[in-house]
Structures are given as structure tokens and as C-alpha cells.
Amino acid sequence: MPHGKSDHVHQKVDSLLALMTLKEKLGQLNHLKGNYSTDIYEQNVDLNKAIADGEVGALTPFTTMDNLIRWQKIATEESRLGIPLFYAADVVHGYKTIFPVPIGQAASWDMEAIELSERIAATEMASAGLNWTFAPMLDVTRDPRWGRVMEGPGEDPFLAGEIAKARVRGFQGDDLGAENTVLACAKHFVAYGAPEGGRDYNTVEVSQRTLREVYLPPFQEAVEEGVATVMNGFNTLNSIPASANSFLLRDILKGEWGFAGFTVSDANSFYELIPHGVAADRREAALKCIQAGSDTDLWSQVYIDHLEQLVSSGAVDPKLVDDAVRRVLKYKYELGLFEDPFRYLDSARMTKTLMQPAFLEAARDLARKSLVLLKNEQKLLPLDNQSRKIALIGPLAHSRQYRDLMGNWKAAGDMNDVVTIYEGLVKRVGKENVYLAQGCEAFGKCPTELTNQASAIARKADIVILAIGENGYSTGEGASKTNLSLPGNQEDLVEAISKTGKPVIALLFNGRPLIFHDLKRKVPAVLECWEPGTTAGDAVMDVVFGDYNPSGKLPITFPNDVGQIPIYHSQLNTGRPRSGPDDKRWGVSKWSDVPNEPLYPFGYGLSYTNFTYSKMQLSDSVISKADTLLVSVDTTNAGDYSGCEVVQLYIQDPVASVSRPVKALKAFDRVCLEKGKRQKVVFHISVDDLKYWDDKMNYKTDGGIFHVFVGSSSVDVSKMTFRLEDLQ
């Protein structure tokens, strides 16, 4: 925001703040629900009266436009000061036009497409009356047992940081005063993605170094990009609940990073200080949260109920309340709500905005970019258009139940709008050439009768496409698991179909890494499809029939066994590392019953074409603190199809004051080439890319040797070495 405009907003905020009673100030920090309830929290309040009394600052509605207009009229026409309401919602991967779940989007490694998805989501939700989204979710995670893997950017802090910037830009645009922008919210602050046992809401214990190197960086990138709001995590971090953690909120977020926006609790999390065991009652919960630097209270109502007395008694400095209210009011001005409280509330605008053809095409484009080709023996894919009979089998082939193909957090998405896999296939080859069999019931239960029917249909066909995996309820908040195999007994279906002797293509739909040894062994082609969204069937068939060459790369490691978790590419070495996968010596760091290697590594993904890499070139073998190292490689499309490759660069610091990762992602470039074409990819590495938190928690780098790796995944890389001159 230009400096002059910023000063003007601050003046308006200060003038309004001077007119407000303490109760009205607390109202701006009180965020309630609209017309819906949840299992964990029932709201017992006369909402209309509370709004009229100036005791509500924001609502999470999910209701009709008429209700939104009515509540805004009460706020602006019946309350004493006429302060408009925020309307917020979890718009996580699209509002009405549903894009792939975020872990799928991360697999695209395409920041422009991800930014566009949020620009469209903001446009749609703003037309529907909403002005604040509880997204992006930036929780780095290395544990696929955690259900909210589907909602985040994967395992790597650098990739997550790039995604954070793209999402914030998409939601907020260049001008929050525009009618198609909304406030973004970076969540969940912080380390919520590292719960013990992968169990949602559970305890998190990480060192300060791991916190700063793994879990904080995406949030810092979001703050530097100008994110308006940050949501507290549900979790404790090193025994302190995130909502009451002054080290996180005051020292780091508002102190070190200079965050100028406001924070919001997660749903009811201020109250949850009581079951966490750090507050005796709701009054003490309010006291600890405001002192720690938490600004707004989502649903628990502890601020509106108790802060007035806490301030009056001298237990809470009124300046803490004023600071929080200033932060909130600033964004109501910047959104233009004081100029026009009803600017987002226009039913006619909503009708003509939602699900525009260009929006659906963008969703289809990102969906196909998110698909990851895991296996393609004998080049079974892509299919050509020759006449053949295709058996489409599986519980996810033509389902509109359980948010299938759409995924969790679907906002206003409608299952009836989803293009199923069957519908996408019929568009390609005609209904007369497709045999459809469910094979399994919901949640992967495959009774013998359905399996036998599917096998009979497979025998009639020339080729089989299996649509299997998790349904949309199987991942997301509260959906943690200990078993990552294909749900139910879908492996029995895979076994039965493989015995028919027909060529089989497996389409995997899931919101987290799964473990599928039998599928990998028995099926020649496996395409990871995630949960692709509204245009699922069209996007998947674009890839199956070769209209789009798969270019996705895994943003998270697929383990070989649950017992390997956590398993990720940037692990530390041990004092007794193996010399390689075939090292069987006693006394080296290995499992005795499963390989050390994952099922599929971070950054992995095949293509229909073949990309080759020239020998890596470094601009120098020795650099100084002021230098930038240029790392270049020629990438050639040496195959038969045009396609895109994600060229990845990793760094290792082999000798430091603390042990460093064997590989740390520092850069990537998504390169699209016609067949036979070549492109030079150049990465710029500065001393900042080599810094780490040392044994005394200083952020620095040491002189010495560094290894640089470039290639198509975290394991398929070439290596060179350079030296950084001693900086002492």
C-alpha cells in the first residue's frame, strides 16, 4: 500500500478507536458463526442482538446472500458506530470451481497456475459475499498419517515457501480495495504438521533449529508477501499451546518479522487452553491469549466475555486490546468496507461470476499439471484413439458420493458439477466402447460378488482402467490414519483384475501418500491423480490419451512402510550411513525388514517423453561472500512427445557446526520443450542460500566445501562441488 494511503488509513483507525467503548473494541475481536453448528462447539447467542450491540466483528457464515445482507445491515445501520463485518470461510482449493486439493497443486510445481487458482477462488468467493479466506495452509509435514496432508504444500520448506507467495498473491492481488480480492490467512502457526503419531491436534515437540529451518520459513515468506492474517495452530509447541505462545506471536511473528496484519485463533482454540492444561478457566484462557499476542477469537467467545473485566481490574494492559483492534480495523478500511459495506453482496454479480468457462479451463489445466506418472511399463500410456473396448472399474470411476474426486474443504463446490472419470472417458471413446463396473462399495469395501462382476467385465475388454484410492472423506481435518494401504480390500480387486491378463492402468485418487506394493508390482501403469476437483474426468483423460504429457513431481515422499515415517528427502546423515541400497553390513543405519528407500522419492515423476541433462556447469569453483554462483545445465527433450520437466537443485553442506541435510532443495525451474528442443537452465546461488542456524542459534554460513546437485528428482541427480571462501 502506498505510504500516503497507509497514513490515511491509520488516521481513520485512530479516530474510530477513540470513539469506541471497551466492549465495542472487544466486539471487533469476537468472531462468531453464522447459521450452522459443529460437533465440537455450539454457539448459544442471539446473533442479531450481538451484532446490533457492536459485539461481533466477523462471521463465518456459509449461508444465503440474504442473510449476509441482513447481518451487514444490522452491523452498519443498527450498531452505534456502524462498523461493517468481515465474512470469512475456508476456501482452500476453490470456492465454486473446485481445483485439485493443495497437495495435488503442489505436485504441479507451477507457481503461476497455483496463483491463478487462488485469483479465481478470490473472484468467486468475493462475488458470493465473502472477503476473507482461511487459506493458504502452509504446514510442512513429513507424516502422511496426518489427515491434513491433503490441505498443505508437502514436506519441503522451500517449495512450501514458493507456494505460500503464489497463494497470497492470488488471493490478495495488488490492491485489497479491488472487488475481486480477499484477505488471505496463513495457517496454522506453527508446526501443526508435526503431531506425534500423525494424530490430528496432537502434541508437537521440535527443536528451535527445526522450527526455524523447516516449519517457519513458509510463514515468513507469506508475511514478506504481505499476507493480511495468520491463524494459530491447534497444537501445543514444546508444551505451550500455539494460541498462547508469546515466543511465536510476539517475538517472531510481530517482532522479528514485523507482521502488520492480525492473528486469528483456530476454531475454539482459545478455550482449548483449558483441556491443554495451561488455563484453569475461560477467564485465564483470555488473559494468556491476549498477553501472548493473539488478536481475534474464532468462536470461543472468551475475549468478549472476560477481557472487559480483565482490563478493568488491571490484569490486562488496555494497549494490548487497542493494538489488536487497530490491526483488525485497518483491513476493514483497506478492503473498502467502510466506503461500501455491501460491495461484496450482490446476487446478480454472483450468478454471472461463478464457474465461468475460463475458470473451469484453469481448473482443468492445474488438475492435469498435478498428475504424477509413477509407472509406465512398456509405454502403456498414453492410449491412442484406436477403436477398442475399455473396462473402467473401481469405486471412484463414477462416484459423486463422499466428496469423491473433489476432496475435503470443498467450500461451495457441488458434487453434481464434477466430471466423473466415466464421463470423461465416454467423451473420448463413446459410451458403446466403455464397460463400467463399480468393483467396490464405498470406503474401499470390495465384496466378492462385485469383484467377480468386475473381473468378468475386464475379460470382455481390450484394456482396463482401475479408478481406486481414497474417497473424499478419508483425508482432511480429523482424518488421521495408521494404515496407509489402499483402503478396505481394494488390493483384492487389483489382484483379481491383474489375473485376467488384460493390460491395466491404475488411476490413484487420494489426498495423502499411500502404500501399494502389490499394485506397483502387478499393474504396468500407475497415475497419481490426487483429488482433481470439478474437472476431474476431463483432466485425467487429457493425460491418459496424451493430449497433455504428465509433468507432475511428488511434493512429498511416498513411504515403503508406515514404520519408516517420518521419511523425507532432506534427512540428516548418521554416524553409520549405508554405502548404498545393497549394503547389508551389520552396524549401519538400516531397517532389517524393509529397505531404507521410499516407495517413491520426493521430486519424482515420469513423463511420456525422455529428458536428458548435459553435464552441470559452475561459473566458478570458488566463490566469496559477495559472489553469486551460476549453476547451469542443458535440458533436452530427447523423446517423442512435447512436455515439461521440473529441473531441481539441491545443496549439501557436508561440514558445519551442526549436522546438515543430505540434500536441501534450493531452487527449481519448470521447463517446457517441444520434442528435440534443448534449453539451458541457469540457477543463481548466493551466500544466503547456504546459511543455517548454527550450534549457538546464529543464522550464518561457514566457509568451506559445498555440494550442489541438479536433476529430475531428489535421487536422480548429478553432483558437483564448490568452495565458499572462509568468511571469518
Side-chain angles (χ1 to χ4, degrees), residues 334-352:
E334 291 190 12
L335 280 173
L337 292 176
F338 281 97
E339 295 176 18
D340 180 6
F342 302 96
R343 62 183 314 188
Y344 295 92
L345 304 174
D346 183 344
S347 296
R349 175 186 164 201
M350 177 178 68
T351 300
K352 68 182 182 181

Side-chain angles (χ1 to χ4, degrees), residues 220 224 249 254 293 311 316 471 482 484 497 547 683 685 690:
Q220 186 171 7
E224 291 178 358
L249 298 169
K254 295 179 178 179
V311 170
V316 168
N471 65 41
T482 60
L484 298 182
I497 300 303
D547 292 343
F683 297 106
I685 301 298
L690 309 178

Side-chain angles (χ1 to χ4, degrees), residues 567-625:
I567 182 170
Y568 49 95
H569 73 285
S570 56
Q571 63 190 358
L572 304 183
N573 218 335
T574 73
R576 294 185 175 187
R578 291 188 314 164
S579 61
D582 297 324
D583 189 346
K584 306 297 184 184
R585 293 176 296 157
W586 178 90
V588 295
S589 183
K590 68 179 189 299
W591 287 285
S592 61
D593 54 345
V594 297
N596 280 19
E597 291 69 35
L599 190 68
Y600 292 105
F602 175 84
Y604 174 86
L606 302 176
S607 171
Y608 295 154
T609 193
N610 178 38
F611 291 99
T612 61
Y613 288 73
S614 67
K615 183 178 180 181
M616 190 194 325
Q617 300 291 323
L618 304 184
S619 59
D620 209 329
S621 60
V622 180
I623 63 170
S624 69
K625 182 178 181 180

